Amino acid sequence: MDNMRFFTLLERLIVALTGSVSDESPDIDLVNSILREICMMFRLCKGETCFYESVNHERLGKGEKAVCYDSGEPCVTVMEIRVVTKVMAVVTCSVYMTKENAEQAPLTDEEREKLDIVMRTVLNFVSRGRLQTVVQRLAFQDDRGFRNPRFFQRHLAKINEQQKLGGMAAIHFNLRHFALVNQEIGRKAGDVVMRNHISGLERLLGTDGVVCRLGGDNFVALCAGDCLDSVVAYLAETPVFYDVNFGKRVRISASAGVYRIPEGFVMQDPGEIMDRIITSLQAARNGGKEHIIFYNDTLRERKEKKMRVQQRFPEALRNEEFKVYYQPKINILTGRLAGAEALCRWERKGRLIYPDDFIPVLEETTDICKLDFYMLDHVCQDIRRWLDEGKDAVRVSVNLSRRHMMDIDLLQTIIDIIDSRNVPHQYIEIELTETTTDVEFRDLKRVVGGLQQAGVFTSVDDFGVGYSSLNLLREIPWNALKVDRSFLPVGDDAESSSRFVMFKYVIAMAKELGFSCIAEGVETQRQLDLLRDNHCDLAQGFLFDRPLSVEAFEERLSGHRYSVEHTGK
Ligand code: C2E
Ligand code: MG
Ligand code: MG
């Protein structure tokens, strides 16, 4: 045994291994060439290591083998070392000789000692290096093998440090209707679709681009600026294979919030980027037509406004800053007041805030329910007062958000409020909008049925703009349909326009089914004529009155007549 040569090789091996630990990719070729020389020196025909993540994996034979040298001859094991690490991973190292050599030139004791040193050195490195990779995987990947948010944060920080964030784009996206995709093609195929979709995206992200999964079907990505157009097109819609052999694929589209990071941008805190893409994704998911929204200052202002509304609401409710405005409903045959709709206005520091600026925000939480009950209560107080003062009180409709449908005590709460103000039930009408889901539909049916029994009127608000089926009319005992103003012909719409035709037949159908029908948003004489020609007897709109303060409305209660003449045009 050439001692000198052995120790030189051992030293070279140690340098090659330890020198590379800090580097993520060791020079495997160099290491293997040294090990190969050592094997030959010891008359070995093969050397290998195997890494098992756990004792259980070892038992099942689920390890990762690395062969440093193999002459290809049939062989027998001559030495084997097995080490169990602190975290119970198992690493083995084995060396082999041809059967001939093992019998005729076996290893001497001295050779065994030397080989032992080499094998332990290799094992030490393998267990450390492999454990590092395992730990990295656990730390930066999720259970499905996608990169996780921690990876994203680290990547952002790295790119930021290199001052390369400016000009790139951050994206937060959600695969739309993915639950339906799973339902349609099965979970397993759904997993394949998700994997393939993300791999397809990864190929488009450009230099320094990454995509990481936040959980479920939510992802974040960083993308090179010049790749953004193709990435956005891909996210908007792309076909994804789930069975290449049979050419089976599904169309996947995403909702996404995109932040174009300005040139020269230096991130102080990852929250700056995350906040912006979360805000834009929320806007994209808020039911509008656009499913991909780019971050801009308006979005930020809108978000701040929303937070202000949410913050101020409880106090405003306590201070009774919300006022009931009444918009008259008119019988167009007689010109008489037939009822009113209660609409909310927020009086804040002498300024009126309109529902569009706060109702959608309150609808994101159950705050809207508090407001609706408040409105109902105040309407009841007004009606009670009119009755007590001997005024010709009319039925008032109160809007109830769909948010209430979750509330199993809803029916009782409504009745309790009306009764607590001692108002006869027929003076109250509840307006509800169409529903989207089966569950809501069932609740709606229960609530409307209950109100009907209690003698409270009910109407479908904004009829025709939601997603309801005709079952809504067949199965639920409404009193009235409020036909949405988008059905009213505008300007000089021809009689053959689809708006005109639908309007006519919706009214005819409602009447045929025995519903009372009211047209909302009547603004012109031409629209009024049309209502009369089509036997829609009730109307509400600026042509007659805007929503009025309670004082102004009370003047309408004493026999006011509206002009409802037919112009005959
Ligand atoms: P809505 O229930 O469909 O109320 C009718 C809306 O149409 C009212 O807007 C009304 O002012 C407006 N309008 C009436 N006539 C005309 C017209 O001739 N032309 C036009 N362009 N508009 C007309 P407003 O008061 O801004 O309320 C908007 C929406 O906010 C309401 O739509 C309703 O969905 C909601 N809302 C208002 N108050 C409440 C409330 O107390 N609770 C709930 N849940 N929602 C409310
Ligand atoms: Mg309404
Ligand atoms: Mg309406």
Side-chain angles (χ1 to χ4, degrees):
M1 160 76 44
D2 181 346
N3 262 341
M4 184 68 182
R5 188 159 160 251
F6 171 72
F7 285 111
T8 314
L9 280 173
L10 183 60
E11 195 185 344
R12 277 178 56 205
L13 178 68
I14 292 171
V15 171
L17 290 175
T18 54
S20 64
V21 169
S22 55
D23 252 328
E24 280 182 18
S25 45
D27 187 347
I28 290 295
D29 287 345
L30 175 64
V31 170
N32 281 347
S33 79
I34 300 170
L35 287 172
R36 181 196 163 102
E37 269 189 65
I38 294 177
C39 283
M40 287 164 133
M41 201 175 169
F42 288 85
R43 306 177 302 285
L44 303 174
C45 64
K46 183 175 162 189
E48 69 180 16
T49 60
C50 196
F51 179 89
Y52 304 92
E53 271 180 32
S54 62
V55 178
N56 202 23
H57 275 195
E58 183 189 25
R59 202 166 44 79
L60 297 170
K62 275 167 66 179
E64 257 179 60
K65 237 177 222 175
V67 177
C68 64
Y69 168 64
D70 187 356
S71 68
E73 295 158 282
C75 53
V76 292
T77 317
V78 286
M79 268 178 84
E80 183 173 53
I81 299 180
R82 174 177 177 273
V83 177
V84 181
T85 70
K86 276 190 195 140
V87 291
M88 301 311 278
V90 179
V91 202
T92 60
C93 183
S94 317
V95 290
Y96 305 80
M97 271 183 168
T98 57
K99 208 167 169 205
E100 213 172 47
N101 271 343
E103 282 165 7
Q104 291 167 16
L107 293 168
T108 63
D109 288 348
E110 189 198 335
E111 281 174 329
R112 282 183 170 272
E113 269 170 39
K114 285 188 171 132
L115 257 183
D116 192 73
I117 300 174
V118 175
M119 287 163 79
R120 284 185 194 283
T121 309
V122 171
L123 271 189
N124 190 6
F125 170 78
V126 171
S127 57
R128 201 146 36 111
R130 276 298 286 125
L131 278 176
Q132 247 176 14
T133 344
V134 171
V135 168
Q136 286 230 342
R137 202 186 64 223
L138 291 176
F140 294 114
Q141 279 184 16
D142 67 13
D143 51 351
R144 302 261 301 281
F146 291 104
R147 286 172 171 151
N148 66 11
R150 219 172 298 134
F151 184 95
F152 192 70
Q153 302 280 354
R154 193 183 66 155
H155 187 73
L156 265 187
K158 194 170 99 191
I159 303 295
N160 188 44
E161 229 172 76
Q162 298 167 352
Q163 305 209 339
K164 291 197 297 198
L165 268 182
M168 295 190 80
I171 308 171
H172 183 3
F173 66 96
N174 168 270
L175 304 180
R176 302 183 63 228
H177 311 304
F178 205 74
L180 280 183
V181 173
N182 276 332
Q183 231 175 53
E184 196 72 17
I185 63 174
R187 247 206 116 74
K188 251 196 174 150
D191 286 351
V192 175
V193 167
M194 188 182 281
R195 178 82 271 164
N196 288 348
H197 183 270
I198 297 305
S199 307
L201 181 65
E202 273 168 343
R203 287 193 286 274
L204 298 175
L205 292 170
T207 325
D208 296 326
V210 288
V211 53
C212 306
R213 179 163 171 254
L214 298 181
D217 51 9
N218 291 302
F219 295 84
V220 277
L222 191 68
C223 149
D226 52 356
C227 303
L228 186 57
D229 287 347
S230 41
V231 166
V232 166
Y234 181 88
L235 288 176
E237 189 174 274
T238 190
V240 180
F241 280 103
Y242 60 95
D243 188 337
V244 180
N245 293 336
F246 292 95
K248 288 188 183 161
R249 47 189 203 164
V250 279
R251 293 198 167 277
I252 297 293
S253 66
S255 299
V258 183
Y259 175 49
R260 275 202 193 93
I261 304 170
E263 291 294 343
F265 178 91
V266 178
M267 179 178 79
Q268 306 298 330
D269 170 357
E272 291 171 70
I273 289 188
M274 293 310 289
D275 279 354
R276 288 174 177 142
I277 53 181
I278 289 171
T279 306
S280 350
L281 178 62
Q282 275 167 355
R285 296 189 73 178
N286 262 350
K289 274 192 205 129
E290 296 296 324
H291 296 307
I292 296 185
I293 299 240
F294 287 76
Y295 180 83
N296 58 34
D297 285 344
T298 325
L299 273 186
R300 197 197 64 226
E301 283 158 22
R302 226 186 284 162
K303 189 180 176 193
E304 286 168 1
K305 211 164 100 185
K306 184 169 120 182
M307 282 164 65
R308 275 200 300 274
V309 168
Q310 279 166 345
Q311 256 167 15
R312 289 175 183 162
F313 174 73
E315 200 190 326
L317 197 68
R318 272 198 305 278
N319 296 345
E320 309 222 326
E321 289 175 22
F322 296 99
K323 305 291 175 205
V324 184
Y325 272 58
Y326 291 91
Q327 188 175 33
K329 295 178 183 172
I330 286 89
N331 179 326
I332 62 168
L333 299 178
T334 63
R336 280 184 178 278
L337 183 70
E341 174 173 9
L343 293 159
C344 187
R345 302 288 181 263
W346 184 351
E347 226 174 73
R348 195 183 149 74
K349 298 188 175 159
R351 206 169 68 85
L352 271 196
I353 310 175
Y354 288 85
D356 286 353
D357 284 336
F358 59 90
I359 298 270
V361 175
L362 299 181
E363 274 185 324
E364 285 182 23
T365 65
T366 48
D367 278 347
I368 188 65
C369 303
K370 294 183 193 143
L371 181 69
D372 286 348
F373 291 144
Y374 167 102
M375 289 287 289
L376 176 62
D377 187 46
H378 282 68
V379 165
C380 288
Q381 290 181 45
D382 285 340
I383 295 179
R384 187 63 255 165
R385 193 163 41 76
W386 299 332
L387 290 170
D388 292 343
E389 291 170 0
K391 291 200 167 78
D392 292 333
V394 287
R395 182 179 305 129
V396 176
S397 58
V398 175
N399 291 284
L400 221 63
S401 158
R402 286 227 302 258
R403 269 269 174 185
H404 289 278
M405 286 305 135
M406 309 290 246
D407 175 6
I408 49 167
D409 299 321
L410 175 63
L411 187 60
Q412 198 51 49
T413 313
I414 295 174
I415 307 284
D416 287 349
I417 293 174
I418 305 175
D419 288 346
S420 74
R421 298 294 175 186
N422 200 15
V423 169
H425 292 182
Q426 79 268 17
Y427 281 101
I428 300 295
E429 177 172 326
I430 300 291
E431 292 191 13
L432 289 154
T433 51
E434 297 156 299
T435 54
T436 43
T437 66
D438 286 359
V439 181
E440 270 191 4
F441 188 85
R442 250 186 289 134
D443 291 332
L444 192 65
K445 195 170 164 180
R446 184 176 52 78
V447 171
V448 174
L451 288 170
Q452 182 90 342
Q453 265 185 350
V456 176
F457 278 62
T458 50
S459 48
V460 194
D461 199 1
D462 307 335
F463 180 73
V465 290
Y467 291 100
S468 70
S469 69
L470 292 175
N471 272 345
L472 185 82
L473 300 186
R474 205 171 48 140
E475 291 193 24
I476 302 185
W478 306 97
N479 294 101
L481 286 194
K482 299 193 76 179
V483 182
D484 191 72
R485 71 161 170 275
S486 59
F487 280 91
L488 283 181
V490 289
D492 46 8
D493 269 0
E495 295 220 0
S496 57
S497 72
S498 59
R499 220 198 273 265
F500 200 100
V501 172
M502 282 165 86
F503 176 76
K504 265 194 342 208
Y505 287 106
V506 164
I507 305 272
M509 179 183 68
K511 295 221 97 172
E512 192 83 3
L513 290 170
F515 297 109
S516 144
C517 223
I518 174 163
E520 297 187 271
V522 179
E523 291 181 345
T524 65
Q525 181 67 39
R526 179 165 182 248
Q527 291 172 339
L528 172 62
D529 292 347
L530 197 91
L531 295 189
R532 204 180 348 239
D533 293 347
N534 289 286
H535 311 290
C536 175
D537 305 335
L538 294 169
Q540 174 185 345
F542 295 169
L543 179 65
F544 306 103
D545 260 327
R546 292 186 170 251
L548 305 170
S549 67
V550 64
E551 297 80 17
F553 179 67
E554 282 174 6
E555 288 175 20
R556 303 281 190 263
L557 285 178
S558 29
H560 183 86
R561 285 290 179 100
Y562 290 89
S563 154
V564 286
E565 265 172 57
H566 201 299
T567 58
K569 269 198 281 173

